[in-house]
């Protein structure tokens, strides 16, 4: 027996799935990969229903345990959720961001994730030792401080904390809620050239968990970045925290000649 096809209700009509029994790839993995691809490219939007396991198994000619294993793998990734009385529902796709000098806002928009921003703080403060070292200024010097919560599909993805040299550009809260920081910098005539960045991970504190709608102790990705303009001046120091269930960094690794 060869391929078997079925579909699920997507945002723009039925989404086709198929399994190939002649393939060495496990059937549950074939199905989970196709479901994940449909979620990531938007064919299965947040809120879409897959139907129950019995129906899906029947349409594909698969056993119920096989379908359950495929669905569970995506539940474990945070892409699907089982809701009593409703069925299996798409929650969201994970944001996969390449490691390059771009803003989270631009990357989310390019991925069709409909970014939104909630400005938590827009003020000036005295630079502590870490900020001063990153920006190449004296400790205690005045800097701009912006804190934002970045959301997609109404759910938080990241908490962003950015320090900029005082007087670099005027930061209006309304503009920060409408677009990304790097766009505002480019609009002000600042040419972003390079950055120094470190990526890490840690468990969410109670405050971070509440802010990002994760359980306390959930894994978080961290990123610190110092960005330089085309004159070599440090123009921004960012300290960001991302939900690991919603976000991943992608690397391209090359072999040295």
């Amino acid at each position: 027996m060869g391929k078997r096809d079925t579909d699920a209700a997507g945002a723009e009509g039925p989404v086709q799935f198929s399994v190939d029994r002649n393939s060495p790839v496990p059937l549950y993995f074939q199905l989970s990969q196709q479901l994940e691809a449909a979620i990531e490219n938007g064919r299965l939007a947040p809120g879409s229903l897959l139907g129950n396991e019995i129906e899906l198994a029947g349409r594909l000619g698969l056993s119920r345990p096989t379908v359950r294993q495929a669905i569970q793998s995506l539940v474990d990734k945070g892409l699907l959720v089982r809701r009593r009385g409703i069925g299996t529902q798409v929650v969201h796709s994970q944001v996969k961001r390449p490691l390059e000098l771009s803003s989270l806002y631009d990357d989310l928009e390019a991925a069709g994730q409909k970014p939104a921003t909630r400005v938590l703080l827009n003020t000036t403060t005295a630079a502590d030792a870490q900020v001063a070292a990153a920006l190449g200024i004296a400790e205690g010097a005045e800097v701009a401080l912006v804190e934002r919560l970045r959301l997609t599909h109404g759910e938080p993805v990241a908490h962003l904390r950015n320090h900029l040299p005082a007087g670099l550009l005027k930061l209006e809260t309304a503009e920060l809620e409408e677009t990304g920081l790097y766009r505002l910098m480019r609009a002000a005539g600042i040419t972003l050239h390079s950055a120094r960045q470190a990526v890490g991970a840690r468990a969410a504190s109670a405050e971070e968990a509440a802010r990002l709608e994760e359980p306390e102790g959930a894994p978080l990705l961290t990123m610190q970045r110092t960005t330089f303009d085309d004159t070599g001046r440090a123009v921004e120091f960012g300290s960001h925290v991302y939900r690991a269930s919603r976000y991943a960094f992608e690397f391209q690794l090359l072999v040295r000649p």
Side-chain angles (χ1 to χ4, degrees), residues 54-75:
I54 297 175
E55 294 173 349
L56 193 56
R59 292 199 302 269
L60 278 171
L62 298 173
S63 69
R64 188 176 177 185
T66 297
V67 173
R68 183 185 301 118
Q69 188 175 6
I71 290 174
Q72 185 61 48
S73 69
L74 300 186
V75 171

Side-chain angles (χ1 to χ4, degrees), residues 2-61:
K3 289 189 175 182
R4 287 290 300 271
D5 298 331
T6 190
D7 57 76
E12 298 178 358
V15 179
Q16 294 291 324
F17 303 111
S18 65
V19 293
D20 184 356
R21 294 181 180 274
N22 297 322
S23 170
V25 178
L27 297 176
Y28 89 88
F29 191 74
Q30 292 184 45
L31 180 57
S32 69
Q33 288 292 94
Q34 292 176 62
L35 283 167
E36 184 171 356
I39 293 169
E40 289 189 347
N41 64 29
R43 289 184 296 135
L44 282 175
S48 298
L49 292 173
L50 296 185
N52 63 46
E53 294 170 359
I54 297 175
E55 294 173 349
L56 193 56
R59 292 199 302 269
L60 278 171

Side-chain angles (χ1 to χ4, degrees), residues 111-234:
Q113 293 285 335
K114 299 179 182 178
T117 304
R118 188 181 304 157
V119 176
L120 307 177
L121 192 63
N122 183 11
T123 187
T124 58
T125 188
D128 62 19
Q130 182 185 33
V131 172
L135 294 179
I137 58 177
E139 187 173 350
E142 184 178 80
V143 291
L145 169 60
V146 176
E147 284 193 40
R148 294 160 295 158
L149 194 64
R150 185 61 43 77
L151 307 96
T152 63
H153 304 292
E155 294 187 16
V157 174
H159 175 244
L160 314 175
R161 182 179 174 90
N162 299 81
H163 290 86
L164 296 85
L168 182 71
L169 76 162
K170 189 174 182 180
L171 295 171
E172 299 287 352
T173 296
E175 291 181 328
L176 288 166
E177 290 179 341
E178 289 296 323
T179 190
L181 178 60
Y182 280 9
R183 286 189 185 181
L184 294 176
M185 295 172 76
R186 289 192 293 264
I190 299 167
T191 302
L192 304 177
H193 179 266
S194 61
R196 183 171 59 245
Q197 179 168 286
V199 176
R202 57 179 169 79
S205 67
E207 181 182 2
E208 289 169 334
R211 181 186 293 128
L212 294 173
E213 299 181 8
E214 289 279 2
E216 184 175 355
L220 300 178
L221 294 173
T222 65
M223 187 267 280
Q224 289 189 340
R225 174 190 282 181
T226 303
T227 306
F228 303 89
D229 68 6
D230 55 350
T231 70
R233 173 184 57 165

